[in-house]
Amino acid sequence: MCDVLDIKLNTIPDWNCCAASIGYAEGGELPRLALSARNMALSEQASPGQDIVATCAACWLATRETKERLNADEELMKETNEALAAGGLSVKADQNVRHMAEVLIEDFGFDELGKHVKKPLDGIKIAGYVGCQTNRPFGIDGESFENPKYLDKLVETMGAEPIENYDKKVSCCGGALAFSEPEKSQALIKDIIEAAYDGGADMIVTPCPVCQLNVEAYQNDINAKYKTKFNMPVVYYSTLMSVAYGKDRKQSGLDGQIITPKQLEEIAK
Amino acid sequence: MATDAINYYRNNFLKEVEANVEEGHWVKMCMQCGVCAGSCPLGNAWEHTPQKIFMMIRAGKRDEVLASDAMWMCTSCYNCIARCPRELPITHIMHGLANYAHRLGLAPKNQPTRKFAILFWNNLTKKGRVNELKLGIALYFMNGLVNGIKVAIKAMPLGMSMMKTKRLSPMEILGGHGIKDTSGFHAILKKAREIEDAKMTKFD
Ligand code: SF4
Ligand code: SF4
């Protein structure tokens, strides 16, 4: 997808994991913020003035939150730099921290994104599942928290058909609690899939890798528990775009699916 | 003068939360409207919704709040933050309370999310990145050996299909994946921990 659109991403040298939303318990405030601050510090060194772009909702959220907290609170900025100094780094937190979806929508726009479509995804009905953290608390500029439209527009731009009134669009999949509270999370996931079937969807598309994994991977367990027959493919938006842009199965990441989206496989062949 | 008197009578636990819990100074702004309680995805699993927790803090129910497993049920969905009319950073306050209870040793011992969060943090801070396979194995054994084996067997098909689709690399277990500057990384975390610990006000 990035090579079609000529987006060049530089990896942050020696990046570390941001601890997502589960870092709070052991990490507390400053050590947790220090994780993201270290990434920002390394990025400022290697690519000054460039935007930081995250493809994962949780990484984006953690990094952007850290940036905003540091800019709003002098003391926190001072303490964070004190911690970073122990590892020979310092941070200004002056780069923009953006989600890949923002880059696509704001810097390219739907018209431009549509120009590169080589194989329109005709006749595929798709439930656009935005989930939580891509949407809240920051969200994509100009979109509402309760009913953001950009994912449906993206689906349409790729030639597929977004299902209407998908009422689990911004519901939570349980996030990290899928591991620690499997039953409770699976009840949430069940509703998300059920609503997609109710709307006549052939597959679900999502901008969040955590949602993608949670909603795709537990369908067997859910079927066993609730006597359902779910077999709903769940794809990441870049997979959808890559197929529409004429990439093959592997380049699109279709070989990474647990539940095969047959229609996409057909098109990518 | 009047405000001094009010401050004096404000109970200590609220002050403790304001001093020691991340974003704790917001708690007093809650107007008990209940919007957050109605917005929680696992709402029916919570014994105490955020609204209730904030009320209990103001009522000085220290033991009950810190031992509650409610904070550990937060999925970080940010629904409450998006909707709270007083704009409280509810998610962060709940995380902050969980962390505070955990550090005081008052959090519920067998709370699964607490255990998972600790495993996750330890796994990640060792080398700077998360090793999913090791984390996965640790997770299976989280509840002790016997139960661990049961969970492992149940989760097998998932692990296998993730292995097949190359999302879990078996090489990871040999430790192929980590950052280069681990000593700098550890020094940063150690320093951050020290600064945070030094700021903690004692309340007993
Ligand atoms: S939504 Fe906000 S003001 Fe209302 S009860 Fe919850 S925290 Fe308090
Ligand atoms: S962020 Fe946490 S407290 Fe807020 S609505 Fe979601 S689960 Fe509930």
Side-chain angles (χ1 to χ4, degrees):
Chain A
M1 176 187 91
C2 284
D3 69 59
V4 173
L5 298 172
D6 200 22
I7 302 174
K8 284 208 183 62
L9 297 171
N10 315 316
T11 311
I12 297 178
D14 213 32
W15 59 273
N16 55 259
C17 170
C18 68
S21 302
I22 198 82
Y24 64 83
E26 192 66 42
E29 185 172 12
L30 199 58
R32 189 189 79 235
L33 295 178
L35 289 177
S36 293
R38 179 176 178 275
N39 285 335
M40 284 194 277
L42 291 168
S43 171
E44 284 170 16
Q45 261 179 13
S47 321
Q50 287 186 14
D51 291 352
I52 296 182
V53 176
T55 54
C56 164
C59 304
W60 175 55
L61 182 60
T63 315
R64 177 151 168 196
E65 185 201 321
T66 306
K67 173 196 151 80
E68 300 203 349
R69 292 277 287 277
L70 292 182
N71 285 322
D73 186 338
E74 265 176 51
E75 200 187 321
L76 203 58
M77 179 70 108
K78 201 180 115 246
E79 290 166 358
T80 306
N81 271 311
E82 227 178 294
L84 288 177
L89 292 170
S90 72
V91 75
K92 292 198 286 281
D94 60 356
Q95 290 164 300
N96 287 325
V97 180
R98 306 175 71 203
H99 191 286
M100 189 51 134
E102 288 180 293
V103 174
L104 294 179
I105 293 161
E106 290 163 9
D107 299 359
F108 290 88
F110 294 105
D111 287 346
E112 178 65 29
L113 295 175
K115 279 187 200 150
H116 301 275
V117 174
K118 291 208 178 73
K119 295 175 170 174
L121 310 177
D122 282 333
I124 306 184
K125 288 196 180 148
I126 297 182
Y129 173 50
V130 178
C132 302
Q133 296 191 344
T134 315
N135 189 40
R136 297 181 296 263
F138 301 120
I140 307 288
D141 230 15
E143 291 279 3
S144 79
F145 288 137
E146 309 289 341
N147 189 14
K149 306 261 197 235
Y150 62 91
L151 192 55
D152 290 342
K153 278 190 221 149
L154 187 69
V155 164
E156 235 165 36
T157 308
M158 296 302 124
E161 187 188 325
I163 67 165
E164 274 171 46
N165 303 322
Y166 179 42
D167 70 350
K168 293 292 166 189
K169 189 188 257 182
V170 294
S171 299
C172 177
C173 69
L177 272 68
F179 289 111
S180 51
E181 297 281 0
E183 284 182 10
K184 298 188 183 92
S185 304
Q186 284 171 19
L188 300 176
I189 297 169
K190 173 176 166 280
D191 292 345
I192 291 165
I193 299 170
E194 214 155 54
Y197 274 115
D198 289 347
D202 300 314
M203 65 188 72
I204 294 175
V205 65
T206 176
C208 172
V210 183
C211 300
Q212 196 281 328
L213 175 62
N214 277 353
V215 180
E216 185 183 31
Y218 297 101
Q219 293 190 28
N220 275 341
D221 301 72
I222 294 172
N223 287 340
K225 170 137 195 244
Y226 295 96
K227 309 269 172 289
T228 44
K229 293 204 179 93
F230 292 164
N231 191 30
M232 174 70 74
V234 184
V235 302
Y236 198 50
Y237 69 105
S238 61
T239 302
L240 197 75
M241 291 176 70
S242 301
V243 173
Y245 286 176
K247 297 287 172 188
D248 68 21
R249 185 172 178 276
K250 201 155 172 220
Q251 290 165 329
S252 309
L254 281 170
D255 57 342
Q257 298 291 141
I258 298 170
I259 298 173
T260 314
K262 293 206 182 66
Q263 290 137 306
L264 294 181
E265 294 249 331
E266 268 311 301
I267 296 172
K269 243 194 332 224
Chain B
M1 270 321 277
T3 48
D4 277 356
I6 293 166
N7 278 336
Y8 181 78
Y9 284 110
R10 237 172 36 194
N11 74 75
N12 270 329
F13 186 47
L14 179 59
K15 282 194 192 146
E16 178 176 350
V17 168
E18 288 176 344
N20 288 349
V21 172
E22 182 170 349
E23 305 280 15
H25 60 276
W26 281 91
V27 170
K28 60 175 180 293
M29 299 296 293
C30 169
M31 63 180 191
Q32 290 293 309
C33 71
V35 166
C36 57
S39 306
C40 248
L42 293 182
N44 48 5
W46 297 56
E47 197 188 338
H48 309 115
T49 58
Q51 176 198 11
K52 260 199 200 147
I53 290 278
F54 299 158
M55 187 181 67
M56 287 156 67
I57 293 174
R58 280 158 51 169
K61 302 197 170 166
R62 185 178 194 268
D63 298 345
E64 255 179 89
V65 169
L66 295 175
S68 172
D69 76 349
M71 297 83 86
W72 302 96
M73 297 282 173
C74 171
T75 64
S76 309
C77 75
Y78 291 79
N79 227 347
C80 50
I81 292 198
R83 291 181 182 165
C84 172
R86 284 281 172 91
E87 302 184 349
L88 269 76
I90 304 169
T91 318
H92 302 127
I93 307 171
M94 297 308 274
H95 292 179
L97 282 167
N99 172 251
Y100 188 54
H102 170 60
R103 287 173 69 191
L104 293 176
L106 298 172
K109 288 277 165 305
N110 291 316
Q111 217 298 322
T113 304
R114 188 182 76 90
K115 289 193 187 172
F116 172 60
I118 296 167
L119 284 173
F120 190 86
W121 182 263
N122 291 343
N123 182 303
L124 130 71
T125 51
K126 208 161 169 197
K127 289 192 167 168
R129 295 182 194 170
V130 174
N131 178 322
E132 285 174 36
L133 190 59
K134 266 192 208 145
L135 179 65
I137 289 169
L139 264 181
Y140 297 151
F141 292 94
M142 184 169 86
N143 300 323
L145 197 62
V146 177
N147 201 3
I149 290 169
K150 274 198 216 137
V151 181
I153 291 170
K154 260 182 70 190
M156 253 335 206
L158 174 56
M160 297 283 268
S161 46
M162 296 213 1
M163 196 90 90
K164 219 169 60 205
T165 60
K166 303 206 192 62
R167 291 201 202 167
L168 276 174
S169 155
M171 291 308 283
E172 295 283 82
I173 204 164
L174 304 173
H177 199 115
I179 60 172
K180 284 187 230 115
D181 183 21
T182 37
S183 60
F185 177 73
H186 287 147
I188 291 171
L189 286 179
K190 185 160 163 269
K191 188 75 196 167
R193 166 60 63 220
E194 274 168 29
I195 299 172
E196 186 152 296
D197 283 347
K199 276 200 310 186
M200 205 49 102
T201 317
K202 269 262 175 221
F203 286 85
D204 279 309

